[in-house]
Amino acid sequence: MDSETINELSFAHARSLCERIRSRYKALAKPYQPGSDPLSLNIAVVLLGRTQEKLNQQRDEILNFIETNGLGRVLEDKTFIDHIDSIDSDEEWEDEA
């Protein structure tokens, strides 16, 4: 988030915003403020979808929602996309144990 707009109430506002993201976009969302740095605020969002195009569209909508709902400009966003089939199966985990 833009450090010029972050203040002591921003984390509480971010929690409220995350609740609205969870409800509106059916996503997991949680604010994170590393250490005790009041000028650094992150929001982690997890989405599941059938296509990468749909996920990208939802990500863009969420970024716009965050920017227009009082936390200021999003300075940076990082995206990690993986296909559910690439996650190891339970059988492979049992073999390692």
Side-chain angles (χ1 to χ4, degrees), residues 45-77:
V45 178
V46 177
L47 298 167
L48 292 175
R50 295 188 181 268
T51 66
Q52 185 171 343
E53 180 182 328
K54 178 70 172 167
L55 292 172
N56 288 336
Q57 178 184 3
Q58 278 189 297
R59 182 200 67 216
D60 292 343
E61 289 175 13
I62 290 170
L63 287 172
N64 185 49
F65 182 75
I66 290 169
E67 287 185 342
T68 59
N69 281 280
L71 280 182
R73 191 168 42 104
V74 175
L75 295 177
E76 179 181 356
D77 72 285

Side-chain angles (χ1 to χ4, degrees), residues 20-97:
R20 293 187 299 175
I21 290 170
R22 287 191 295 267
S23 174
R24 184 176 187 157
Y25 296 100
K26 307 298 184 228
L28 299 175
K30 186 171 183 172
Y32 172 68
Q33 197 165 19
S36 60
D37 182 4
L39 298 179
S40 181
L41 178 60
N42 302 298
I43 293 179
V45 178
V46 177
L47 298 167
L48 292 175
R50 295 188 181 268
T51 66
Q52 185 171 343
E53 180 182 328
K54 178 70 172 167
L55 292 172
N56 288 336
Q57 178 184 3
Q58 278 189 297
R59 182 200 67 216
D60 292 343
E61 289 175 13
I62 290 170
L63 287 172
N64 185 49
F65 182 75
I66 290 169
E67 287 185 342
T68 59
N69 281 280
L71 280 182
R73 191 168 42 104
V74 175
L75 295 177
E76 179 181 356
D77 72 285
K78 295 180 182 176
T79 303
F80 172 76
I81 297 175
D82 202 355
H83 195 278
I84 194 74
D85 290 338
S86 69
I87 299 174
D88 292 334
S89 69
D90 290 339
E91 294 174 352
E92 291 174 2
W93 285 98
E94 290 173 6
D95 291 340
E96 293 178 9

